[in-house]
Amino acid sequence: MLPRHADVCLSALFIDFDNIYLSLKNRDEEAASRFARNPVFWLSMIVSGELIRSDAPLMTSRRKILVARCYGNPIPRRSGREGVGDPSCFAYVRHNFMRAGMEIVDCPHLTSQFKNSSDIRIACDVRDYIDHQTRFDEFIILSGDADFTPVLLSLRSHARQTVIYANDYTSPYYKAFSDARIQEDDLIRCLLQPEAAIAEDQK
């Protein structure tokens, strides 16, 4: 078991790539591309707390992400009649998340409606990490899917701090059961900063 330090918030991060990427793409394609291609940049903003909003004080003296998992569909996404591939879909950018120190969890489509298993995989993993020998203080679920509401309730009953992803369409009940949020508007502003394009320019 890791030694505890009173001034450190131990965090576990779970990213539903397709949920966030497609939501961003509907708003701003450049922001979506930078999200996919430069995770190091926006991850640093989560660690620092710059992207996290809360209505009450959080345990934020110092955040240390010990677990970071990114879930996505490994099959190249096609669009249009010509079947042109999306160069920022998970199949083509997963290595960027590995370089950012994240574990990749491939979740291929399971139905003809292109529904993958990311949500259930994340829910199962969160359940496992609640009982982990390292007591995680905070669970960050980067997904706007209200299906995670029961997960938040479980985390609350175990006295864990929670952070979710939220936009204009996020269920008010989902937001109500979280301690803090990463707002889509804030993430877009972050991603459109000139600094967020540095890694892309160097490729």
Side-chain angles (χ1 to χ4, degrees):
M1 181 177 293
L2 290 175
R4 295 310 312 272
H5 301 281
D7 63 337
V8 178
C9 176
L10 302 183
S11 301
L13 170 66
F14 305 90
I15 303 166
D16 185 340
F17 176 87
D18 294 298
N19 181 275
I20 304 301
Y21 173 70
L22 293 176
S23 181
L24 288 171
K25 191 173 182 180
N26 285 335
R27 293 278 309 279
D28 189 296
E29 291 204 8
E30 180 63 20
S33 175
R34 293 185 183 190
F35 168 79
R37 298 185 177 280
N38 194 0
V40 171
F41 179 78
W42 53 261
L43 181 61
S44 69
M45 300 298 170
I46 291 176
V47 172
S48 70
E50 292 179 60
L51 277 176
I52 297 177
R53 290 191 189 190
S54 64
D55 300 321
L58 296 177
M59 185 190 304
T60 55
S61 50
R62 189 154 59 96
R63 177 176 285 105
K64 186 175 180 62
I65 296 180
L66 299 182
V67 170
R69 288 187 165 186
C70 185
Y71 305 73
N73 178 17
I75 308 302
R77 185 185 303 279
R78 301 291 177 181
S79 60
R81 292 185 176 181
E82 295 79 18
V84 177
D86 179 349
S88 294
C89 76
F90 193 63
Y92 300 124
V93 301
R94 59 202 303 279
H95 62 282
N96 294 325
F97 289 80
M98 294 175 68
R99 289 173 181 167
M102 300 183 200
E103 181 181 355
I104 301 302
V105 182
D106 288 329
C107 300
H109 288 151
L110 299 178
T111 71
S112 59
Q113 285 75 38
F114 302 107
K115 175 71 173 174
N116 65 31
S117 59
S118 293
D119 49 0
I120 190 64
R121 292 290 302 272
I122 291 173
C124 289
D125 287 349
V126 168
R127 176 66 257 182
D128 289 343
Y129 279 103
I130 290 177
D131 297 325
H132 196 274
Q133 62 178 350
T134 298
R135 188 188 190 283
F136 291 93
D137 303 302
E138 178 182 69
F139 286 75
I140 304 171
I141 301 176
L142 273 192
S143 174
D145 191 339
D147 287 347
F148 287 111
T149 301
V151 175
L152 299 183
L153 287 168
S154 178
L155 289 167
R156 174 179 284 186
S157 71
H158 286 81
R160 308 304 170 88
Q161 181 170 286
T162 57
V163 180
I164 64 166
Y165 186 82
N167 57 30
D168 293 341
Y169 305 102
T170 302
S171 163
Y173 304 106
Y174 184 45
K175 290 190 286 187
F177 291 117
S178 67
D179 296 303
R181 293 158 298 285
I182 296 172
Q183 295 288 151
E184 185 167 83
D185 287 343
D186 294 338
L187 180 58
I188 289 173
R189 280 192 291 270
C190 165
L191 292 168
L192 294 181
Q193 295 179 53
E195 299 91 325
I198 291 176
E200 293 181 281
D201 294 341
Q202 291 177 343
K203 288 186 179 299

